[in-house]
């Protein structure tokens, strides 16, 4: 019975063994088996298989490392693009440029396209800003004239009926609100284009707060209380703009709270920070809308805002505070009240 060649391991040695029948002239005369010792060849073969698998593993590891390094090196500029685009704001759209020296050509092309897009965005933002500024300017003059006429007609009210007086008063109020909105828009446009100049000078906040609260108390029958530390707190800022900021916050506190509820202006120093808080016990602002009240034209609840207002006051306040190196935040609870906090570094 023929046996195909097979390798057998006997003790520590390897043999190749095969056998076949032996026939001479068609006559079966026996069986021939051959065994050959291949221990040396087999050991060499196994050593070769082992070393080539180690070598292939090493080659695979080196190639994978090289690919990972190449991919991370190619993606580095993209990470840079994402970091840069994260910090680009409306004000520096025109100046923002992405530039890569050692990047693949595809990434350089992407950066170029991004730069062109930033340029187009900057141009259209500039056009929009210019348009708002022109419109506000063009509308303010005729509206001021209309408002003047309405006021002079209202002064001669003895010739008018009750209904006419009511209509004229509504028209005059709406004209006044619109003029205020146009002035706010002009101020924001000036701030956006960097035309607001802050006359920064050291001033004692305690005096400024006392003066503003005095002014506010004269114009409204709501009592505003000051809670301030005795030691004077000195801060470097523009006196007029700071007045505008506090008057705006006090005006809001009066508008968005019921008559008879207290309004407090707190002033304190914490380390190197001067902290001013305008606190009311009014309607409050829902948590999810608190970060949005500083956006342009954002108003929390139209029904509550019938008192008048444009939704621009707080965005002007924020622009002015940040323009003078401070920051403003709000903490509020619905139906309990709000605290608008303005912080400036103390002048030393
Ligand atoms: P407005 O001209 O409407 O007062 P602002 O920019 O000053 O515009 O305020 C934006 C919105 O934030 C207001 O419409 C109001 O809903 C809300 N808000 C501002 N201040 C207060 C406050 N002290 N209490 C409750 N809500 C406020």
């Amino acid at each position: 019975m023929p046996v195909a060649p097979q390798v057998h391991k006997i003790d520590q040695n390897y043999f190749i063994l095969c056998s076949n029948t032996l026939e001479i002239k068609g006559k079966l005369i026996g069986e021939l088996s051959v065994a050959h010792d291949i221990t040396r060849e087999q050991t060499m073969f196994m050593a070769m298989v082992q070393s080539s698998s180690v070598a292939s593993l090493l080659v695979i590891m080196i190639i994978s490392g090289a690919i990972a390094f190449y991919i991370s090196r190619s993606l580095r500029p993209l990470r840079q693009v994402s970091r840069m685009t994260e910090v680009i704001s409306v004000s520096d759209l025109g100046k923002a440029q992405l530039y890569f020296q050692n990047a693949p050509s595809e990434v350089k092309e992407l950066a170029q396209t991004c730069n062109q897009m930033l340029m187009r965005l900057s141009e259209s933002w500039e056009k929009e800003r210019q348009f708002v500024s022109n419109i506000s300017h063009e509308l303010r003059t005729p509206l001021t004239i209309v408002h003047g006429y309405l006021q002079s007609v209202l002064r001669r009210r003895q010739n008018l009926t009750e209904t006419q007086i009511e209509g004229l008063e509504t028209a005059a109020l709406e004209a006044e609100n619109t003029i205020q909105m146009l002035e706010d828009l002009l101020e924001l446009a000036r701030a956006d284009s960097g035309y607001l100049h802050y006359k920064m000078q050291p001033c004692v906040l305690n005096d400024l707060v006392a003066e503003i609260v005095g002014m506010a108390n004269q114009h409204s029958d709501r009592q505003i209380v000051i809670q301030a530390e005795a030691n004077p707190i000195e801060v470097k800022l523009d006196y007029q703009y700071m007045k505008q900021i506090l008057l705006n916050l006090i005006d809001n506190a009066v508008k968005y709270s019921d008559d008879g509820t207290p309004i407090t202006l707190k002033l304190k120093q914490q380390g190197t920070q001067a902290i001013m808080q305008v606190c009311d016990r009014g309607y409050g602002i829902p948590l999810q809308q608190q970060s949005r009240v500083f956006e342009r034209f954002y108003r929390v609840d139209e029904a509550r805002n019938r008192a008048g207002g444009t939704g621009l006051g707080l965005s002007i306040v924020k622009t002015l505070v940040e323009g003078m190196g401070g920051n403003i935040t709000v903490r509020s609870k619905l139906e309990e009240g709000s605290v608008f906090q303005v912080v400036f570094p103390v002048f030393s």
Side-chain angles (χ1 to χ4, degrees), residues 23-94:
E23 285 176 33
I24 295 176
K25 288 181 183 167
K27 196 174 167 204
L28 179 75
I29 56 164
E31 195 175 311
L32 180 67
S33 296
V34 178
H36 180 61
D37 184 355
I38 54 158
T39 309
R40 209 169 71 91
E41 289 84 351
Q42 180 73 4
T43 321
M44 267 168 62
F45 172 71
M46 274 161 57
M48 227 166 69
V49 167
Q50 225 171 29
S51 55
S52 59
S53 6
V54 171
S56 341
L57 208 73
L58 267 173
V59 168
I60 289 171
M61 274 161 67
I62 290 170
I63 290 177
S64 314
I67 291 174
F69 174 73
Y70 179 76
I71 291 176
S72 98
R73 199 168 151 264
S74 314
L75 289 183
R76 209 177 303 152
L78 291 183
R79 244 175 270 136
Q80 237 171 305
V81 171
S82 121
R83 267 201 304 274
M84 280 170 86
T85 45
E86 247 169 30
V87 293
I88 293 174
S89 67
V90 167
S91 54
D92 46 37
L93 267 180

Side-chain angles (χ1 to χ4, degrees), residues 308-347:
T310 56
L312 289 172
L314 284 180
S315 50
I316 292 182
V317 165
K318 188 173 166 67
T319 306
L320 294 179
V321 170
E322 287 174 357
M324 293 191 286
N327 75 67
I328 178 164
T329 48
V330 60
R331 247 181 319 117
S332 185
K333 220 166 182 189
L334 219 49
E335 305 306 335
E336 284 187 21
S338 312
V339 177
F340 280 86
Q341 174 169 290
V342 179
V343 179
F344 280 104
V346 169
F347 179 65

Side-chain angles (χ1 to χ4, degrees), residues 273-328:
Q273 291 188 322
I275 299 174
M276 279 167 284
Q277 292 177 328
V278 180
C279 318
D280 65 63
R281 298 232 194 108
Y283 315 137
I285 305 165
L287 186 63
Q288 64 275 25
Q289 300 189 26
Q290 284 174 20
S291 58
R292 300 202 60 195
V293 291
F294 298 103
E295 288 174 16
R296 292 175 192 189
F297 292 110
Y298 193 82
R299 308 191 74 204
V300 173
D301 181 354
E302 285 300 326
R304 257 181 198 164
N305 289 339
R306 283 200 201 109
T310 56
L312 289 172
L314 284 180
S315 50
I316 292 182
V317 165
K318 188 173 166 67
T319 306
L320 294 179
V321 170
E322 287 174 357
M324 293 191 286
N327 75 67
I328 178 164

Side-chain angles (χ1 to χ4, degrees), residues 141-154:
T141 318
L143 254 177
T144 312
I145 297 170
V146 169
H147 185 248
Y149 274 123
L150 288 170
Q151 290 292 356
S152 74
V153 175
L154 272 168

